[in-house]
Amino acid sequence: MKNLKYWLGLTLMGWASHAFAQSETDALRYSQLQFGGTSRTLGIGGANVAVGADLGNLVSNPAGLGLFQQSEVSFTPGLNIGNTTTSGIGAQLSDSRNGLQIGSLGAVFVNRRPDDDNTSDWRAGAFAVGLNRINDFNTSFRYSGTVQDNQSFFQRLREPRLLNGSLPQTLDDIINQDNTGNYLDLEGLAYGAYLTNIQDNGPGTAEQIVTVPRSGPITQQETVVNEGSQTQFDFGYGASYRDKIYIGGAIGIVSTRFIQTREFIELGTDPSSGVSLTLRDNLETRGNGFNARLGGIYRPNDQVRVGLSVQTPTFMQLDDTYSTSLTTQFTPPVEFVNENGQVIDRISDGSASTSGEFSYRLTTPFRASGGVAVLIGKYGFLSGDLEYVNYPSARLRDDSDTGLSGSFSSQNDAITALYRSTVNVRIGGEARYNAFRFRLGYARYGSPYEGSGQDGSQNYFTGGLGIRQNRFFLDLAGVYNTGNQYYRAYTLNSGNEPVITVDANRFTTSITAGITF
């Protein structure tokens, strides 16, 4: 119960109110990464911390670069097929979103001493550059159903929350416009579209927000479309000491692009007091960041390898561009009366909009990974990884370079209260027969939520095939990912707002073509 006030503000969750503020959900979105890399890495469930000799090691453990015997270059295009099914209000609805992607692109350049050269214990070194997709935001879902008035968007408007956290006391507090006439928050939009007003309850009595009259069943429907990805450009170096100890380091530059479009509709079906509204929101986030990682692999014998890698937080600069509009229709028209009861205006529809830009910074969590690989002679290997991610350590802060001021203390408190550290588990294996490779893997990424009663874990089932022929190799992989998301278009003080469960799955196919030299 101690975290209830934060769960009420969780913005996986729609207009709680992203168009006007950055939130703990932004921190999680850019911190909860997916394993990526070549089709070989994908086929074994991402469990390559101790395996080595794969360009995926740039992201997981750069020490693995020291195990390369030859230089190589590879390219990995892929196809995403994503599906969602929603439940919570009304009937289950399905949606899908598909797209092409570049999963990996890179090259490694190896300098290895001949086996009969004993002039140094440092046997080899490898420099690598690569581009890897570490996050995919492409998804869409929709829902439709009926709610009660005390669960509706109108109830949200009766619970005003201004930017400074205080309740409105005057009409100017509701209007809340900047110098350009833009409304600054949801309260202003509702006033501008004639949905709300301030009611004077007499001397000595606090004014209150009132909404236009409405009765009868209330239908809600919404469509949410997300686009974009995070791509990491890495360059790293790995070295081999006596072919027993391998060490490496890498620096990553992260490019982020996220676009979200939402259309929320609430319909009043009573012909004597029908009110219909449409709330449209468009958000585009772009930014860059950097991180670094160090790793090591120890090979006590020819059969066993033990790996360890740590990654610094990613320090990101993000820029939001947003626009939000609210349009309304009233049946019959709303009548405005003066203090003498005389009708001074009739409104059949209304609209209000806002737009703007905002820059801020995000520090994502520290990560640490450990893994073990067991080689079964020339027949293949088995591997397993554990990855620790400290989600509560993510932090939002102002972009001091823009001169903007503001406090993210409430959002950072919410990050600490809502999220927890978690361990991701990845296991996989490869079987070899002559030039052919057969791969299977599984990964479970733990839920980042603290005591919410909502399971945010994800499961990945992977498989792949490969062939090695002379100086050419070709690998094919498939990754099936399942997991639930929990969505709220808005939040209420009572916690009685509709909660939409989004059952999402995604199948990703990729093919890696490469040459060695």
Side-chain angles (χ1 to χ4, degrees), residues 71-366:
S71 300
E72 74 174 48
V73 59
S74 68
F75 173 58
T76 307
L79 171 66
N80 279 325
I81 303 173
N83 298 285
T84 57
T85 301
T86 57
S87 59
I89 61 173
Q92 290 188 342
L93 294 179
S94 298
D95 205 348
S96 63
R97 185 171 181 81
N98 308 323
L100 298 172
Q101 67 173 41
I102 296 177
S104 175
L105 172 65
V108 58
F109 305 94
V110 178
N111 180 20
R112 184 170 182 84
R113 295 180 183 276
D115 291 341
D116 58 357
D117 183 350
N118 297 317
T119 58
S120 175
D121 289 331
W122 292 98
R123 306 304 303 160
F127 174 76
V129 293
L131 190 70
N132 291 282
R133 176 171 288 210
I134 58 174
N135 226 336
D136 194 308
F137 303 128
N138 290 283
T139 187
S140 62
F141 63 89
R142 60 193 179 95
Y143 64 90
S144 179
T146 302
V147 299
Q148 301 301 315
D149 182 66
N150 63 355
Q151 297 178 290
S152 70
F153 183 71
F154 267 45
Q155 181 61 33
R156 162 63 182 87
L157 298 178
R158 299 175 192 124
E159 303 171 358
R161 302 153 205 172
L162 297 188
L163 290 175
N164 60 8
S166 63
L167 294 179
Q169 298 299 319
T170 68
L171 190 60
D172 289 339
D173 289 336
I174 285 188
I175 295 175
N176 205 357
Q177 291 178 314
D178 61 16
N179 293 330
T180 67
N182 266 331
Y183 293 103
L184 298 182
D185 56 19
L186 194 57
E187 326 308 323
L189 289 178
Y191 174 79
Y194 303 105
L195 285 179
T196 63
N197 208 338
I198 278 204
Q199 177 173 294
D200 187 352
N201 294 321
T205 304
E207 296 175 325
Q208 69 181 88
I209 294 286
V210 294
T211 58
V212 297
R214 183 179 64 172
S215 62
I218 300 163
T219 299
Q220 291 185 344
Q221 57 191 56
E222 184 175 11
T223 300
V224 180
V225 178
N226 295 328
E227 303 175 57
S229 65
Q230 284 183 289
T231 302
Q232 185 166 288
F233 174 74
D234 295 279
F235 55 94
Y237 184 82
S240 169
Y241 182 78
R242 293 185 175 180
D243 290 330
K244 285 280 189 180
I245 298 174
Y246 306 85
I247 60 173
I251 294 176
I253 300 173
V254 179
S255 176
T256 298
R257 175 178 173 268
F258 174 72
I259 299 175
Q260 185 175 76
T261 303
R262 293 181 294 193
E263 183 176 80
F264 174 85
I265 297 174
E266 190 167 276
L267 306 171
T269 56
D270 186 340
S272 64
S273 59
V275 181
S276 302
L277 65 90
T278 301
L279 188 56
R280 295 182 177 91
D281 184 40
N282 296 282
L283 168 70
E284 181 172 359
T285 301
R286 292 182 180 269
N288 296 287
F290 68 92
N291 56 46
R293 67 200 66 86
L294 294 172
I297 294 177
Y298 175 57
R299 190 170 72 167
N301 54 53
D302 291 340
Q303 289 74 45
V304 178
R305 299 173 188 173
V306 180
L308 178 67
S309 178
V310 294
Q311 178 176 299
T312 69
T314 301
F315 304 95
M316 305 179 68
Q317 160 76 43
L318 298 170
D319 302 303
D320 283 1
T321 302
Y322 63 85
S323 63
T324 300
S325 65
L326 176 62
T327 58
T328 54
Q329 290 185 327
F330 306 100
T331 307
V334 175
E335 295 183 346
F336 291 86
V337 299
N338 61 20
E339 58 186 9
N340 298 319
Q342 297 173 320
V343 176
I344 58 176
D345 202 357
R346 289 183 173 87
I347 300 297
S348 59
D349 55 54
S351 65
S353 63
T354 185
S355 61
E357 299 178 353
F358 191 83
S359 298
Y360 60 104
R361 296 184 179 183
L362 170 65
T363 302
T364 68
F366 161 87

